[in-house]
């Protein structure tokens, strides 16, 4: 990197923290705004990796999260994370600066989880024991690891809080937000980090003890927003995954969801649902194991959730038609959507972490003030191929696909789905935007990072419209 480029990059990083702090927008004010719509910032899969510069480990372990920024600022690693890696500090700063710049009058930020980077426990033990082939960690090492993970979580949450001012951040637990192997947080993680979620992310908007009772036990909770007109339901969908916690935990969560939707119906409220792992097929994994669509069968059709849990979830939604006006998930890092059998549409948020070769990206939704439903969105990305100075606008949904900016987004997406299968231009556009515009090649495999191609398109197309395994397999095989 040239001296001028290095100076310019540092100027961008300094600007991310030196911009004056935005004044918080009162939720009640947003509810009575004179405009017909407002914007909502949504982010997912940040995956911050504190070990991007291993030399900083001793200083990080000795310092509190509030001191970490000054430690990271001393690192000689100043380029944003590359494809195939998790978010480093330079990319984290660029993300925060962009979110702050595009926050506008957003009354809330929605986050569908995975603040923590992949493999932090493993990386910690490598540094702790100073060897890659470390022994089984003893109790002292485990305690030290958990403390370090908690500090990483607090650092990321604190950075987000600084960027968004007083605006609450509604957070759904990700499968990597854990001390364990990536199946979601256990009660120990939830208990140790509940106060961080409450104060740094939610900004204390919920009743304290009610939140703690719910979050520390199971990781799911609800929040009243915009007066009494809207209920935000946060699911811990990690427990819906077949190899995750027991089916009993999932059943209890679905019963709770039913009670929340029932109460919202009685109160005349609309509902937003946030989760991390979405229902339906795991298209990226299926495409890795099935060379051609005809190879997709009950053995290769990897599904995100346990089949019975998904069935129960869809039955629960089906009892409350029209109640849910927004449903968000993350996990795949890709910009996609899923049409459920109930008619509900789930918006899949792109990820900030470029670990799957995707460009780092997030979305700003346009929400109808009276309907609490999205009508449009704008996607912002950081193009890793060109190394721009900041995030920029990648596309606006209405303009890109030719829908009215005031139309209901769910209806537009339902209408777009069949077009993707018949219009090559739309299909090519969707394919390009799937990994937020990345056209890079994986330096290990020499294949494009983008997993979609002309041969395997049915695997990804059917993921949009077929949630159950039998229907999904039939769709792919008969495409």
């Amino acid at each position: 990197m040239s001296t001028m480029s290095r100076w310019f990059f540092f100027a961008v990083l300094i600007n991310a923290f030196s911009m004056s702090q935005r004044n918080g927008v009162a939720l009640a004010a947003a509810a009575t705004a004179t405009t017909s719509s407002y914007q909502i910032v949504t982010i997912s899969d940040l995956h911050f990796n504190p070990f991007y510069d291993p030399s900083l480990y001793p200083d990080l372990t000795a310092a509190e999260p509030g001191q970490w920024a000054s430690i990271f600022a001393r690192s000689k690693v100043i380029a944003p994370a590359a494809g195939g890696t998790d978010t480093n500090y330079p990319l984290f700063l660029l993300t925060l600066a962009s979110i702050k710049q595009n926050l506008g009058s957003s009354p809330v930020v929605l986050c569908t989880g995975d603040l923590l980077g992949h493999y932090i426990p493993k990386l910690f033990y490598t540094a702790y024991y100073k060897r890659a082939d470390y022994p089984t960690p003893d109790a002292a090492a485990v305690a030290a690891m958990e403390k370090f993970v908690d500090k990483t979580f607090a650092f990321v949450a604190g950075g987000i809080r600084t960027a968004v001012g007083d605006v609450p951040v509604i957070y759904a637990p990700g499968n990597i937000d854990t001390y364990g192997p990536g199946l979601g947080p256990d009660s120990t993680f939830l208990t140790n980090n509940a106060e961080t979620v409450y104060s740094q992310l939610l900004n204390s908007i919920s009743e304290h003890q009610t939140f703690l009772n719910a979050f520390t036990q199971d990781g799911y909770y609800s929040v009243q927003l915009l007066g009494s007109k809207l209920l935000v339901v946060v699911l811990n969908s990690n427990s819906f995954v077949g190899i995750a916690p027991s089916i009993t935990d999932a059943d209890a969560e679905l019963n709770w969801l039913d009670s929340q939707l029932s109460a919202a119906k009685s109160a005349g409220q609309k509902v937003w649902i946030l989760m991390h792992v979405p229902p339906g097929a795991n298209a990226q994994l299926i495409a890795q194991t099935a060379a051609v669509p005809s190879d997709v069968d009950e053995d290769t059709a990897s599904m995100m959730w346990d089949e019975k849990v998904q069935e129960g979830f869809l039955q629960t939604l089906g009892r409350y038609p029209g109640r849910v006006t927004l449903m968000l998930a993350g996990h795949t890092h890709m910009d996609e959507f899923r049409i459920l059998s109930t008619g509900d549409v789930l918006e899949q948020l792109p990820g900030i972490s470029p670990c799957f070769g995707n460009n780092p990206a997030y979305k700003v939704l346009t929400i109808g003030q009276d309907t609490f439903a999205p009508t449009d969105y704008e996607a912002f990305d950081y193009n890793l191929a060109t190394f721009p100075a900041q995030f920029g606008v990648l596309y606006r949904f209405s303009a890109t696909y030719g829908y009215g900016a005031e139309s209901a987004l769910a209806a537009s997406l339902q209408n777009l789905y069949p077009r993707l299968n018949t219009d090559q231009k739309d299909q090519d556009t969707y394919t390009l935007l799937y990994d937020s515009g990345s056209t890079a090649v994986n330096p290990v495999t020499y294949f494009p990072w983008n997993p979609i191609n002309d041969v395997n398109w049915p695997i990804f197309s059917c993921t949009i419209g077929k949630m159950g395994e039998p229907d999904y397999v039939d769709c792919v095989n008969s495409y």
Side-chain angles (χ1 to χ4, degrees), residues 45-58:
D45 295 275
L46 200 145
H47 287 299
F48 179 72
N49 174 23
F51 290 100
Y52 75 95
D53 183 346
S55 70
L56 303 178
Y57 164 76

Side-chain angles (χ1 to χ4, degrees), residues 54 122 171 173 191 246 250 323 376 391-392 395:
K122 180 179 179 180
Y171 157 83
T191 299
S246 72
R323 188 61 45 191
D376 203 358
F391 278 73
Y395 75 103

Side-chain angles (χ1 to χ4, degrees), residues 110-401:
L110 305 178
C111 175
T112 55
D114 272 354
L115 300 188
L116 296 176
H118 296 86
Y119 314 118
I120 290 181
K122 180 179 179 180
L123 294 170
F124 176 86
Y125 291 134
T126 296
Y128 181 89
Y129 287 107
K130 299 180 181 179
R131 48 188 286 191
D133 58 338
Y134 56 83
T136 300
D138 58 21
V142 171
M145 178 275 291
E146 292 182 353
K147 182 178 180 180
F148 188 87
V149 168
D150 294 344
K151 291 201 293 185
T152 305
F153 191 85
F155 170 75
V156 175
I160 295 173
R161 172 54 48 215
T162 299
V164 303
D166 294 333
V167 176
V169 178
I170 313 300
Y171 157 83
N175 67 301
I176 304 298
D177 294 334
T178 175
Y179 305 129
L183 300 179
D186 61 12
S187 59
T188 302
F189 180 92
L190 294 170
T191 299
N192 290 347
N193 292 280
E195 288 295 346
T196 296
V197 173
Y198 182 76
S199 61
Q200 293 296 312
L201 295 177
L202 288 175
N203 202 27
S204 308
I205 64 167
S206 178
E207 200 283 318
H208 189 208
Q209 196 57 52
T210 300
F211 167 78
L212 290 180
N213 290 344
F215 186 81
T216 57
Q217 184 65 33
D218 301 297
Y220 52 87
Y221 61 99
S222 61
V223 177
Q224 299 277 351
L225 279 183
L226 304 171
S228 59
K229 299 178 180 179
L230 177 67
L231 181 70
V232 180
V233 173
V234 177
L235 297 177
N236 180 9
S237 63
N238 303 294
S239 65
F240 297 168
V241 177
I243 58 174
S246 72
I247 201 74
T248 304
D249 295 334
D251 286 345
E253 187 168 352
L254 290 181
N255 289 335
W256 173 84
L257 172 62
D258 186 86
S259 70
Q260 294 292 303
L261 292 173
S262 177
K265 180 180 179 181
S266 298
Q269 294 177 313
K270 293 299 185 181
V271 176
W272 292 352
I273 296 179
L274 272 63
M275 68 185 79
H276 182 66
V277 182
N282 187 341
Q284 295 174 71
L285 182 59
I286 294 170
Q288 291 174 11
T289 56
V292 292
S294 58
D295 289 342
V296 176
D297 54 27
E298 60 181 10
D299 294 323
T300 57
S302 175
M303 309 304 286
M304 293 287 193
W305 291 5
D306 176 89
E307 186 177 357
K308 290 183 178 179
V309 173
Q310 179 171 289
E311 218 173 276
F313 174 75
L314 294 173
Q315 288 173 356
T316 301
L317 286 183
R319 288 194 285 271
Y320 304 94
R323 188 61 45 191
V324 178
T325 57
L326 174 64
M327 194 182 307
L328 298 178
H331 190 59
T332 69
H333 294 218
M334 302 301 165
D335 185 347
E336 53 178 318
F337 65 100
R338 302 182 181 215
I339 301 172
L340 310 187
S341 59
T342 58
D344 296 286
V345 176
L346 182 147
E347 263 285 302
Q348 196 88 14
L349 297 180
I352 297 296
S353 166
C355 66
F356 297 133
N358 54 289
N359 281 334
Y362 67 94
K363 289 183 177 180
V364 178
L365 305 182
T366 299
I367 305 291
Q369 181 185 322
D370 297 327
T371 63
F372 298 101
T375 58
D376 203 358
Y377 67 77
E378 206 166 28
F380 295 81
D381 82 313
Y382 186 88
N383 192 330
L384 295 173
T386 59
F387 297 104
Q390 58 188 359
F391 278 73
V393 177
L394 178 62
Y395 75 103
R396 179 179 287 277
F397 175 82
S398 58
T400 299
Y401 289 109

Side-chain angles (χ1 to χ4, degrees), residues 55-98:
S55 70
L56 303 178
Y57 164 76
D59 291 338
L60 294 175
T61 55
E64 293 303 312
Q67 301 170 300
W68 278 23
S70 61
I71 297 173
F72 289 128
R74 300 199 304 264
S75 173
K76 295 180 180 180
V77 179
I78 61 173
T85 64
D86 271 337
T87 300
N88 60 7
Y89 185 63
L91 179 56
F92 183 49
L93 284 183
L94 289 167
T95 301
L96 295 182
S98 182

